[in-house]
Amino acid sequence: MGKSDSTLIAIGGGELAQATEVLKELISLLKKKEDPRIVVVTVATNESKSASEKYNSLFRGHDVKHVETVDIEQRDDAFIESSLKKVRNADAIFFTGGDQLNVTTLLGGSPVHNLIHDKFHEGVIIAGTSAGAAMMSSSMITSGGSGNPPVVGGVEFAPGMNMVEGTVIDTHFSQRSRHGRLLTAVAHHPHALGLGIDERTAMMIRGNEFKVIGEGVVTVVDGSQMRYCDLPYRQKNDPIGMFGADIHVLPSGYRFNLKTREPIAPKLRTLAATGNED
C-alpha cells in the first residue's frame, strides 16, 4: 500500500452513475486537487471506445474538465510515451470493468504499470470497478461459478496487481451470490483475506484501513484462524468442510483494519440517526 494519504477505491460493479454515494466520494476527492485530471484505463474491456465515451461523459458531467483515456489493446501500448505522459500528469486513475485477466497480462510489469504504482505512492487516487477492482488483489479470481457451495477447484486464480496486499477481491458479490466462491478461494488461500464487494458499493482504502461506502455491503472472510479444512482430502468438485473462518458483514460507514483484521463499527447513535432519515 501507499502512504497514509494515498487513496484506493475498489468498486463492486454496477453502473457508477447510479452509485450515488460512491461517485460523490470519488468526485469530492478529485476536486480537492487543483484543476484535476483523471485518466480512464480501458485495458480490461474489449469495448474500449464505448467505455471511454461513457466515463468521459460521466466525469465531465460532474465538472471534471480534464478526462483522458489510456487504452492498452496490446502490451506494446503500455510502453509508449503517449500513454506514460497521460498517467504521469494524472491526479486520479480509473480502471473500467471487463476481464481482470486482461489487466494483468497486458499491463503487468510494464512501464505504465510501474508508473501507476509510483503515482499511487505519491498520493494519486486509484479507483476501479468490477474487473478494475478484482485486479487489485494479490491472488485474483479469474473464473468460478456463482450460487454454488464451496468446492475443491471451484475457482481459478492468477496473480493480481497486488495493490491491496494479502487479499482476494470478488465483485458483484451479493447480486451474483458469490459467497460460495469466495469461501472456496479462502479455503485454497487461507492466508489471504477474502473481500466480497456488492454492486454500487466500494471499499475506500487509506493506509491499513478501509471504509465502506455505497448502498450494499462488503463481506469479509478471514480464514487465518480457521481450525479445520478438509480440502486436501477431497477430490475435485467435492464440497469443502471448513470450521472457524471469521465472516464480517460491513455496511456503509463501517471500517476494517487490514493489518489487525478487525472490523470497526460506527457509533450506534450515528447509525440510528442515519436510519431514521427518509
Side-chain angles (χ1 to χ4, degrees), residues 150-173:
V151 295
V152 179
V155 295
E156 295 183 356
F157 301 94
M161 300 295 273
N162 202 32
M163 293 179 176
V164 191
E165 296 177 3
T167 63
V168 178
I169 297 173
D170 208 350
T171 57
H172 306 278
F173 194 66

Side-chain angles (χ1 to χ4, degrees), residues 4-111:
S4 59
D5 61 347
S6 297
T7 302
L8 191 69
I9 302 176
I11 307 165
E15 286 295 329
L16 183 58
Q18 298 174 11
T20 308
E21 187 179 344
V22 177
L23 183 58
K24 180 181 178 181
E25 189 75 38
L26 175 57
I27 296 298
S28 176
L29 287 171
L30 189 58
K31 288 188 174 180
K32 290 179 181 178
K33 312 280 187 178
E34 184 178 351
D35 198 23
R37 292 178 175 272
I38 186 166
V39 168
V40 178
V41 182
T42 57
V43 60
T45 179
N46 294 321
E47 299 177 356
S48 57
K49 183 177 179 181
S50 61
S52 175
E53 291 173 351
K54 179 174 74 172
Y55 287 109
N56 191 300
S57 175
L58 177 63
F59 292 129
R60 289 184 185 276
H62 284 81
D63 298 323
V64 179
K65 298 178 182 178
H66 306 290
V67 184
E68 296 185 293
T69 299
V70 169
D71 181 31
I72 311 295
E73 291 188 1
Q74 54 188 8
R75 275 193 64 86
D76 190 56
D77 295 329
F79 288 74
I80 59 178
E81 178 56 30
S82 59
S83 298
L84 290 163
K85 182 178 180 181
K86 290 176 182 178
V87 172
R88 198 175 291 123
N89 294 330
D91 295 296
I93 300 167
F94 181 86
F95 285 82
T96 69
D99 185 342
Q100 52 265 38
L101 199 56
N102 287 1
V103 183
T104 55
T105 56
L106 296 178
L107 193 61
S110 69

Side-chain angles (χ1 to χ4, degrees), residues 121-150:
H121 284 276
E122 294 172 8
V124 165
I125 302 161
I126 308 290
T129 185
S130 190
M135 64 85 182
M136 295 178 183
S137 55
S138 48
S139 297
M140 183 179 70
I141 296 174
T142 58
S143 67
S146 299
N148 297 320

